[in-house]
């Protein structure tokens, strides 16, 4: 709800500045046209007169006869100067209006340039720590790839909920001829290949790291074996955190060009104190801890954000927290668009202001805001109303 209000406010503000910018541009164009027209008429009029006629036109008793002047051109300069001085107030007002319009037009192009639907080049790199088989992770990666980001996806090393190595897999609809998406393992060899790629392409910049634990699939049950819990936490969270710690010394930015860290937190079940997926509670708590730790230890090098995930829908069906039987909000509008704006917020001052008002925590998906505020006091039927 807060993000919607701020979007409306910034939208109204942007429309207002667009109007001022348009008026300023029209003013500048009008004065430019008036100047060109006046200059054209003046040139045609003066060029068609002889020296005697010019002397008669610009003869001024207060100055003296044209013969007293050094030349006809000198008398012309004196006469024009007198006329300009006589109309100095009008000229100053016109100059002020022109300058104001020009400044408004120039400033608006810097302050409120519109957010493009996709990047103009392919030099921006994203590093995703998440399992591409998760539908939310896959949808997020697909959407960012469509907007021309180069994406490295760091895969899990173990099969979900087991201790067995996972089979190699590819997803045909995400592979591309230009190599826009790369899959690497969450180990030293995968990390080395990524660092080597970045060193070989110095024109490319690592923009953001997306820490995305499972958002759709978790083991069910309130009582789980220690082995299952250990494997799930290790492969879904701790391995990724180890990769993150190794990446930061190589790519952490400075105060003017910080690297973004975005933690996705499946916190809804924890906020509601639901016991259907107890491992989800543990993962949510770890993500919150990592977020706070990174803000304390790396705030001078990284912009750290946390995104609370609510109920998201893909194709009209809920893809997160399915056991709640609540229809999810559209994943493109609720998650993909806000994350895209967040990633580019450093380059757009109005997005930077919005994030300054909202803070470093995002709420994406149905129920994410309400459950964060109300916790277990929030009834499930209330989620369907917002």
């Amino acid at each position: 709800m807060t993000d919607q209000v701020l979007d409306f406010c910034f939208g109204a503000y942007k429309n207002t500045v667009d109007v001022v910018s348009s008026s300023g541009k029209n003013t500048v164009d009008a004065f430019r046209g008036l100047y060109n027209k006046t200059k054209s008429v003046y040139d045609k009029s003066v060029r068609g007169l002889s020296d005697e006629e010019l002397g008669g036109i610009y003869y001024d008793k207060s100055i003296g006869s044209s013969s007293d002047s050094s030349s006809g051109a000198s008398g012309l300069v004196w006469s024009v100067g007198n006329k300009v001085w006589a109309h100095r107030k009008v000229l100053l007002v016109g100059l002020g209006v022109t300058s104001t319009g020009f400044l408004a037009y120039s400033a608006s192009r810097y302050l409120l340039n519109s957010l493009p639907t996709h990047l103009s080049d392919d030099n921006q790199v994203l590093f995703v720590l998440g399992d591409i088989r998760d539908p939310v992770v896959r949808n997020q990666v697909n959407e960012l790839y469509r907007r021309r980001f180069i994406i490295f996806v760091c895969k899990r090393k173990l099969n979900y909920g087991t201790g067995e190595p996972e089979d190699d897999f590819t997803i045909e609809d995400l592979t591309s001829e230009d190599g826009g998406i790369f899959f690497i393992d969450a180990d030293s060899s995968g990390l080395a290949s990524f660092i080597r790629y970045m060193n070989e392409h110095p024109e490319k910049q690592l923009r953001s790291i997306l820490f995305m634990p499972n958002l759709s699939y978790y083991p069910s049950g309130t009582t789980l074996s220690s082995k299952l819990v250990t494997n799930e936490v290790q492969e879904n969270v701790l391995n990724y955190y180890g990769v993150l710690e190794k990446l930061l010394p190589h790519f952490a930015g400075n105060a003017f060009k910080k690297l973004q860290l975005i933690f996705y937190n499946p916190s809804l079940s924890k906020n509601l104190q639901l016991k259907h997926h107890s491992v989800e509670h543990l993962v949510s708590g770890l993500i919150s801890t990592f977020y706070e730790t990174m803000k304390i230890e790396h705030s001078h090098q990284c912009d750290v954000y946390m995104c609370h995930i609510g109920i998201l829908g893909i194709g009209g069906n809920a893809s997160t927290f399915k056991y709640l039987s609540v229809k999810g909000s559209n994943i493109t509008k609720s998650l993909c668009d806000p994350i895209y704006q967040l990633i580019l917020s450093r380059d757009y001052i109005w997005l930077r202001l919005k994030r300054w008002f909202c803070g470093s925590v995002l709420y994406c998906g149905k129920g994410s805001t309400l459950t964060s505020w109300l916790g277990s006091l929030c009834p499930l039927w209330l989620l369907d109303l917002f």
Side-chain angles (χ1 to χ4, degrees):
M1 186 65 69
T2 304
D3 283 347
Q4 293 176 354
V5 173
L6 285 172
D7 285 338
F8 176 79
C9 293
F10 276 99
Y13 171 65
K14 184 178 184 301
N15 290 336
T16 302
V17 176
D18 285 343
V19 172
V20 174
S21 169
S22 177
S23 301
K25 183 178 183 300
N26 293 338
T27 303
V28 172
D29 293 341
F31 273 90
R32 185 185 292 116
L34 179 62
Y35 168 78
N36 292 334
K37 184 67 175 178
T38 304
K39 185 175 182 300
S40 175
V41 172
Y42 170 78
D43 290 342
K44 290 180 180 178
S45 300
V46 171
R47 287 175 183 174
L49 298 177
S50 63
D51 291 340
E52 291 79 6
E53 291 172 324
L54 284 172
I57 291 175
Y58 293 108
Y59 176 78
D60 193 334
K61 294 182 179 180
S62 63
I63 301 175
S65 64
S66 59
S67 60
D68 294 336
S69 301
S70 59
S71 65
S74 176
L76 174 62
V77 171
W78 278 101
S79 177
V80 171
N82 288 337
K83 293 180 182 296
V84 169
W85 181 253
H87 298 86
R88 59 188 181 277
K89 293 182 179 179
V90 176
L91 292 175
L92 287 174
V93 171
L95 181 62
V97 172
T98 304
S99 301
T100 302
F102 179 75
L103 289 174
Y105 172 65
S106 301
S108 64
R109 294 188 64 183
Y110 169 71
L111 296 176
L112 285 178
N113 45 344
S114 59
L115 187 70
T117 56
H118 56 78
L119 302 181
S120 58
D121 55 44
D122 57 355
N123 290 331
Q124 301 297 313
V125 178
L126 303 178
F127 194 90
V128 177
L129 294 161
D131 191 343
I132 197 67
R133 292 170 296 184
D134 186 295
V136 176
V137 177
R138 184 166 64 249
N139 198 279
Q140 176 73 93
V141 169
N142 195 16
E143 179 69 14
L144 292 172
Y145 170 65
R146 186 181 64 83
R147 296 182 187 271
R148 296 193 64 182
F149 286 100
I150 296 175
I151 303 174
F152 281 79
V153 181
C154 193
K155 302 187 300 183
R156 291 175 58 164
K157 293 179 62 178
L158 301 180
N159 271 326
Y160 170 74
T162 71
E164 300 298 327
E166 70 179 6
D167 296 328
D168 292 336
F169 67 95
T170 57
I171 296 181
E172 297 298 332
D173 61 335
L174 289 182
T175 57
S176 62
E177 295 180 358
D178 61 352
I181 294 181
F182 301 90
F183 296 93
I184 61 175
D185 290 323
D187 55 17
S188 56
S189 62
L191 187 59
S193 64
F194 173 67
I195 295 175
R196 183 168 57 252
Y197 173 87
M198 295 301 294
N199 290 335
E200 292 174 353
H201 299 83
E203 75 282 1
K204 300 189 184 302
Q205 175 196 358
L206 178 60
R207 185 88 179 207
S208 307
I209 298 177
L210 281 59
F211 195 106
M212 305 182 70
N214 279 347
L215 300 170
S216 296
Y217 301 130
Y218 278 97
S220 301
T222 57
T223 303
L224 303 174
S225 67
S226 60
K227 182 179 180 180
L228 183 62
V229 173
T230 300
N231 289 337
E232 180 61 28
V233 173
Q234 181 68 39
E235 299 304 321
N236 191 28
V237 180
L238 298 183
N239 279 358
Y240 290 151
Y241 190 71
V243 173
L244 177 61
E245 284 189 316
K246 294 176 182 177
L247 277 178
L248 288 182
H250 294 277
F251 299 102
N254 53 45
F256 301 99
K257 209 168 188 179
K258 293 183 179 180
L259 175 68
Q260 281 184 338
L261 302 181
I262 306 175
F263 290 92
Y264 290 66
N265 191 338
S267 58
L268 188 139
S269 61
K270 181 175 181 292
N271 293 334
L272 291 176
Q273 295 299 306
L274 301 175
K275 299 179 180 180
H276 189 76
H277 289 84
S278 56
V279 179
E280 226 168 20
H281 297 199
L282 182 57
V283 171
S284 178
L286 286 173
I287 295 297
S288 298
T289 301
F290 293 159
Y291 163 74
E292 296 293 343
T293 301
M294 285 296 173
K295 281 187 70 70
I296 294 172
E297 295 182 355
H298 297 282
S299 60
H300 61 292
Q301 296 177 314
C302 304
D303 287 326
V304 186
Y305 300 92
M306 182 166 62
C307 177
H308 288 284
I309 302 299
I311 306 173
L312 297 169
I314 300 177
N317 299 317
S319 293
T320 55
F321 312 103
K322 298 179 181 180
Y323 54 90
L324 295 179
S325 301
V326 177
K327 185 179 180 180
S329 57
N330 182 274
I331 190 172
T332 300
K333 295 181 179 179
S334 298
L335 179 66
C336 297
D337 289 347
I339 292 298
Y340 176 65
Q341 291 182 11
L342 174 62
I343 293 173
L344 296 186
S345 60
R346 187 178 65 203
D347 299 338
Y348 297 86
I349 193 169
W350 64 278
L351 285 177
R352 216 179 307 167
L353 286 172
K354 176 186 175 182
R355 286 267 51 92
W356 183 79
F357 280 112
C358 294
S360 58
V361 179
L362 288 76
Y363 300 93
C364 299
K366 183 177 292 186
S368 58
T369 305
L370 281 175
T371 56
S372 296
W373 291 351
L374 302 178
S376 58
L377 298 177
C378 180
L380 293 180
W381 58 264
L382 191 59
L383 300 183
D384 272 327
L385 301 180
F386 294 94

